[in-house]
């Protein structure tokens, strides 16, 4: 209200809001200084360790009153440079604050933003099946540790799809791995299951963040998605796969690995068993308190065999998932 000229808009026309918001003109130095000062005051007021920089208001009426009409074509570019300027000053002043950028999800994925924020919210769609495709595609350009990914509630708020907690955790591990759930609604079983997934991620976090990443099954080309992380010395790997949609009774697909030592022998263990099994008397999928494993025992297979022949993956239902650990014997 005090500085209407600080917003992007054409002075001779009405201003358009989006989400009841205007867009500040970051091409102007006084605007950048004001925002920086306010952020410094806020971040200094208490022990703030994390900031979600959400820019969900898209740019419209990109016109700055700081520049003449013949230079308005520069404003879109100058706006982004201004945002970079503020982010650079904030991160330099508060290097220990984790900054995550976002704009409706992956709208803030660009190399310039990654210079200031080590992680970016990949998408507001947190459905595990959708995220399999979203994160698979994002991984073609951006590192795994930069992709913000969470376990959210089911049915999902955007797709209304039901997925198991296990599958949601497996997909969320393909990124920063967090939870956006209401713990007041957890049962004791939920709490223990979530605790186990947190333990698994902590156990493999370095491998996920710094290992070699291989895409195995493309969810865009097949009815499943699969990927793996391999340590630099190729002595350890973590393999994850999810069924997108499979017809009942189809043959089990063979999952072929990549990046292993051909002549090395690997111990293969399933680390995240499920709790849904098919009743062989009537074909129904039923809950069981006993862990449901793919093989029920450790396998010992050469790297060459794992890469050329692979291992069968028995998906029991749509959105079923598996997770294997490979260790060199």
């Amino acid at each position: 209200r005090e500085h209407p000229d600080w917003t992007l808009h054409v002075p001779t026309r009405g201003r358009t809001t989006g989400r009841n918001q205007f867009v500040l003109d970051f091409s102007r130095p006084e605007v950048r200084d004001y925002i920086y000062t306010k952020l410094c005051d806020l971040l200094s007021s208490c022990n703030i360790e994390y900031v979600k920089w959400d820019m969900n208001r898209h740019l419209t009426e990109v016109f700055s009153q700081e520049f003449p009409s013949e230079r308005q074509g520069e404003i879109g570019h100058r706006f982004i440079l201004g945002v970079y300027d503020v982010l650079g000053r904030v991160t330099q002043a508060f290097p220990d604050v984790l900054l995550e950028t976002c704009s409706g999800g992956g709208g803030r994925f660009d190399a310039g933003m990654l210079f200031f924020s080590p992680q970016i919210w990949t998408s507001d769609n947190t459905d595990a099946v959708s995220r399999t495709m979203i994160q698979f595609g994002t991984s073609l350009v951006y590192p795994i540790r930069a992709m913000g990914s969470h376990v959210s509630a089911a049915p999902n708020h955007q797709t209304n799809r039901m997925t198991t907690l296990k599958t949601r955790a497996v997909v969320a591990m393909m990124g920063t791995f967090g939870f956006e759930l209401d713990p007041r609604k957890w049962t004791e079983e939920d709490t223990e299951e979530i605790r186990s997934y947190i333990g698994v991620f902590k156990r493999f976090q370095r491998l996920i963040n710094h290992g070699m990443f291989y895409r195995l099954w493309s969810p865009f080309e097949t009815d499943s998605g699969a990927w793996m992380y391999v340590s630099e010395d190729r002595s350890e790997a973590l393999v994850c796969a999810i069924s997108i949609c499979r017809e009942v009774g189809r043959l089990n697909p063979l999952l072929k690995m990549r990046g292993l030592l051909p002549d090395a022998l690997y111990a293969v263990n399933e680390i995240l068993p499920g709790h849904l099994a098919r009743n062989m008397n009537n074909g129904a999928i039923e809950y069981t308190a006993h862990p449901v494993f793919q093989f029920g025992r450790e396998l010992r297979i050469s790297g060459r065999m794992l890469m050329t022949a692979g291992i069968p993956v028995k998906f029991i239902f749509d959105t079923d998932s598996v997770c294997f650990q490979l260790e060199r014997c």
Side-chain angles (χ1 to χ4, degrees), residues 36 39-40 43-44 47-51 86-100 115-119:
Y36 172 70
L39 286 173
C40 285
L43 294 174
S44 301
N47 182 28
I48 297 175
E49 298 180 348
Y50 168 79
V51 172
V86 173
L87 289 175
R89 292 156 68 182
V90 169
T91 53
Q92 187 173 14
F94 300 92
D96 296 327
V97 174
L98 174 61
L99 177 67
E100 178 177 304
F115 185 83
F116 307 105
S117 64
Q119 63 189 56

Side-chain angles (χ1 to χ4, degrees), residues 186-199:
W186 296 353
T187 64
E188 291 186 8
E189 291 77 11
D190 291 336
T191 302
E192 289 304 313
E193 188 175 359
I194 289 170
R195 181 180 286 115
S196 70
Y197 297 144
I198 294 173

Side-chain angles (χ1 to χ4, degrees), residues 120-249:
I120 298 174
W121 184 235
T122 316
S123 174
D124 286 346
N125 183 351
T126 55
D127 170 64
V129 172
S130 298
R131 273 303 191 106
T132 298
M133 293 180 277
I134 292 168
Q135 294 170 191
F136 197 93
T138 304
S139 72
L140 291 169
V141 182
Y142 297 95
I144 297 298
R145 60 183 178 272
M147 295 192 291
S149 55
H150 292 170
V151 177
S152 62
N156 183 266
H157 71 289
Q158 289 201 355
T159 66
N160 203 39
R161 184 163 22 219
M162 285 294 301
T163 51
T164 64
L165 189 55
K166 169 192 168 184
T167 292
R168 283 174 275 157
V170 168
V171 175
M173 287 182 193
M174 189 184 178
T176 57
F177 189 71
F179 290 85
E180 47 182 83
L181 299 170
D182 186 350
R184 297 172 301 177
K185 298 179 180 179
W186 296 353
T187 64
E188 291 186 8
E189 291 77 11
D190 291 336
T191 302
E192 289 304 313
E193 188 175 359
I194 289 170
R195 181 180 286 115
S196 70
Y197 297 144
I198 294 173
V200 168
F201 182 75
K202 287 183 176 180
R203 177 181 171 191
F204 293 102
Q205 186 173 12
R206 181 167 183 79
L207 177 61
I208 293 171
N209 287 341
H210 301 285
M212 294 177 287
F213 180 72
Y214 293 92
R215 288 167 287 274
L216 306 178
W217 287 337
S218 169
F220 299 101
E221 300 173 355
T222 69
D223 55 12
S224 307
W227 55 94
M228 67 185 295
Y229 318 88
V230 182
S231 63
E232 187 175 358
D233 62 1
R234 297 190 281 180
S235 65
E236 184 181 23
L238 184 68
V239 184
C240 303
I242 173 177
S243 169
I244 303 298
C245 180
R246 292 188 57 77
E247 296 178 12
V248 175

Side-chain angles (χ1 to χ4, degrees), residues 281-302:
N281 294 321
N282 58 17
I285 297 173
E286 300 174 347
Y287 174 84
T288 172
H290 302 290
V292 178
F293 290 92
Q294 291 279 308
F295 305 105
R297 60 185 177 86
E298 179 180 277
L299 305 179
R300 298 207 165 195
I301 308 174
S302 71

